[in-house]
């Protein structure tokens, strides 16, 4: 069951990618409230990615939310939710702003992140969402300011805000001349179910983090066959390696893979460590396997660390 | 969030009344499998009573269920589920048998229980379902058999099955003559949300057990006002007392009522013990407050006991 929360450091608002059944109950075990959820992105309409959406919308209403909620997803999503709302006579005290996938490049759905969707390959229309920081902080070139004799104080603050300044001595200062080259904005991709990781290669080439399903190991994928249209750990790891993505989080594991950290004694059944081992054989970056309620911080330098 | 499972003692199959979000996950903590679920009865279409249905249907399919699943509920339910199944491209490996509420008196939806629906009073069309044992075991009148000189052995077995017997000595025995009067079939009612308990008075008069919401105490109900159309503990307890129902399980408590057994130190906030105290002031039968995953057995003598 899939749901991933994304929040800019220090921000009150957050966004959700996919909303499986029970997401609202899991949220009770986090500090994330449906009241401050700004937008929901649905990768595809299979039940294990969206059946929790009506309940989450209802609970946000019960909690007295009034801010608009933006929802982005494949076109049948809106009809499905409106059908459920009508049958269950669910009226919300806040508006839903529906954003069609094809409008995503032209709409600023989030104030702090630019969002794009990439079509994937699955049994139903499915997408990966990439989130890129909309703005990066300006950094003063202190050495140049001192060399130019620009006194520290209010002028420096103005320059850091990107505003040109007229100094008391009459000199006009262009802010851009005294700012360091900005760092690259952080970018991450949260992908839906997908049996062709290469579809994300172009987006991934400039990403700091890829979150992608690895439902099977290669061995199990061969047994199961291509019907379910999922990826193996090796397939995703190879693509991430080739694209040069420094951080990779695998998720959406088949329930046949037991968590050996919790249950070491289960005979020859495959374990999550098999998924991890297979991925590591093809990927040299920072690798993590998603767990329920686990959190990660993507630092400004592009490094990923697990939150306690 | 509401879902109640009902199973005849020793039966493999079971039925479900209401299916809130997360019901399929709670089932993982019981011995009840979606594969052996015979029928689902939905009292009304508010989300906290039915948003778990699509996921449960999908999971039953994933588990390879092939037996038909009967679903009974207010008319918009079928359209809602079919809309969700279409949008999420959910195909099930088993048929759904939809039973319209008005057809319930004419359809034997369960082999072991007779089911009836009673219209309740809520903000949306809502029903209480009563379940009555379809058959009770025949009991031999041993004294009369011995007095009649009917030898124990295969003949007694036939008579207990209700079949007339021709004895080796040529006598014809009518089974009914040697059976005790049958006990009253057990009957229980599982009601949906309802602000007029008296609507169930007639059904309850012959019931051994009533499961009914008691969302508030009287004090809180007065503050909240009649808008939500829920019952207080006192309202339900009084009706159950007047109808002579020997067992009452209250459920669907407002989240404002804290469980003091788990958290004794929460100042003046109302507790579930307030609900219980109010009910006991008006009801002298066996009373229980429903808890997540709690189970009860209704014995043949009509007594209720909590399962461990």
């Amino acid at each position: 069951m899939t749901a991933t929360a994304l929040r800019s450091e220090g921000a009150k608002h957050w966004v959700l990618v996919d909303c499986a059944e029970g997401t609202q109950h899991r949220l009770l075990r986090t500090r994330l409230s449906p009241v401050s959820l700004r937008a929901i992105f649905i990768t595809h309409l299979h039940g294990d990615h969206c059946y929790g959406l009506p309940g989450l919308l209802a609970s946000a209403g019960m909690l007295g939310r009034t801010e608009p909620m933006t929802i982005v997803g494949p076109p049948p999503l809106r009809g499905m939710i409106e059908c459920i709302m009508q049958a269950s006579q669910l009226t919300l005290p806040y508006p839903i702003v529906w954003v069609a996938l094809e409008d995503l490049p032209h709409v600023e759905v989030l104030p702090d992140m630019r969002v794009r969707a990439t079509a994937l390959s699955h049994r139903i229309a499915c997408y990966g969402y990439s989130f890129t920081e909309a703005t990066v902080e300006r950094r003063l070139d202190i050495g140049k300011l001192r060399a130019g004799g620009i006194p520290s104080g209010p002028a420096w603050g103005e320059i850091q805000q990107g505003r040109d300044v007229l100094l008391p001595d009459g000199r006009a200062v262009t802010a851009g001349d005294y700012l360091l080259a900005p760092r690259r904005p952080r970018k991450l991709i949260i992908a839906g179910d997908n049996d062709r990781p290469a579809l994300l290669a172009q987006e991934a080439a400039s990403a700091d983090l890829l979150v992608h399903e690895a439902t099977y190991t290669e061995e199990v994928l061969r047994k199961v066959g291509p019907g379910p249209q999922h990826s193996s750990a090796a397939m995703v790891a190879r693509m991430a390696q080739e694209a040069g993505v420094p951080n990779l989080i695998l998720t959406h594991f088949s329930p046949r893979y037991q968590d050996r950290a919790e249950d070491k004694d289960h005979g020859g059944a495959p374990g999550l460590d098999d998924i991890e081992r297979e991925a590591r054989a093809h990927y040299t970056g920072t690798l993590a396997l998603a767990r329920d309620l686990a959190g990660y911080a993507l630092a400004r330098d592009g490094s990923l660390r697990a939150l306690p």
Side-chain angles (χ1 to χ4, degrees), chain A:
Chain A
M1 299 277 180
T2 303
T4 307
L6 181 60
R7 189 169 62 90
S8 294
E9 197 176 350
K12 179 186 154 208
H13 287 91
W14 58 289
V15 306
L16 183 64
V17 180
D18 283 340
C19 187
E21 180 177 353
T23 299
Q24 63 162 319
H25 303 140
R26 278 295 194 268
L27 285 174
L28 297 174
R29 295 168 62 180
T30 73
R31 293 184 179 185
L32 301 165
S33 163
V35 173
S36 49
L37 172 56
R38 193 188 299 278
I40 302 169
F41 299 83
I42 300 294
T43 63
H44 65 299
L45 298 192
H46 280 160
D48 57 332
H49 293 255
C50 71
Y51 280 179
L53 186 48
L56 182 62
L57 296 178
S59 290
M62 293 281 281
L63 292 168
R65 179 194 179 103
T66 54
E67 278 185 51
M69 177 93 81
T70 296
I71 304 181
V72 183
L77 177 64
R78 180 174 183 169
M80 184 178 90
I81 296 299
E82 289 180 344
C83 173
I84 294 168
M85 289 179 65
Q86 188 175 12
S88 58
Q89 296 185 18
L90 172 62
T91 52
L92 300 172
Y94 58 89
I96 293 180
V97 178
W98 293 98
V99 175
L101 266 164
E102 65 264 30
D103 292 337
L104 205 48
H106 316 298
V107 181
E108 284 192 13
V109 287
L110 301 176
D112 51 349
M113 289 182 255
R114 192 172 59 86
V115 192
R116 293 293 178 268
T118 303
L120 304 177
S121 166
H122 195 47
R123 303 192 305 282
I124 192 171
C126 185
Y127 297 84
Y129 292 100
S130 65
F131 299 85
T132 308
E133 279 181 289
T135 55
V136 295
E137 62 288 351
R138 294 182 190 82
R139 295 175 301 167
L140 291 174
D141 188 339
I142 308 259
K144 199 170 172 189
L145 285 164
R146 291 199 194 284
I150 298 169
S152 65
W156 286 26
E158 289 294 299
I159 292 167
Q160 182 151 33
Q161 294 300 314
R163 289 192 282 267
D164 298 340
V165 175
L166 189 64
L167 294 177
D169 63 12
R171 278 189 292 162
V173 175
T174 303
D177 294 345
Y178 295 91
L179 292 171
L180 293 170
R183 66 173 172 83
R184 206 166 56 86
R186 282 166 287 184
K187 173 180 179 179
L188 63 89
I189 302 171
I190 302 177
D193 295 1
N194 178 34
D195 69 354
R196 290 177 56 198
L199 291 170
L200 284 164
Q202 195 181 337
E203 274 294 306
S206 57
D208 298 287
L209 167 64
L210 170 64
V211 181
H212 196 288
E213 64 126 316
T215 306
Y216 310 118
T217 49
E218 284 280 298
E219 185 186 348
V220 169
L221 177 56
R222 271 193 301 273
K223 279 184 208 158
V224 170
Q229 293 197 244
H230 287 299
S231 285
S232 71
M235 287 162 64
V236 181
R238 274 195 298 262
M239 184 281 279
Q241 183 72 20
E242 281 164 28
V245 191
N247 303 288
L248 175 62
I249 299 179
L250 299 177
T251 185
H252 199 271
F253 313 113
S254 161
R256 81 192 70 209
Y257 296 98
Q258 300 296 309
D259 189 345
R260 286 191 178 140
E262 289 178 5
D263 173 18
K264 290 185 192 299
D265 181 30
H266 56 93
L272 289 176
D273 49 347
D274 294 321
I275 299 252
E276 184 172 348
R277 198 175 309 116
E278 180 172 303
R280 285 200 193 284
H282 300 276
Y283 179 71
T284 56
T286 301
L287 175 73
L289 269 62
R291 282 166 193 264
D292 218 17
L293 295 172
Y296 294 89
L298 184 64
R300 285 180 181 162
D301 65 4
S303 66
L304 187 76
R305 75 181 161 85
L307 295 173

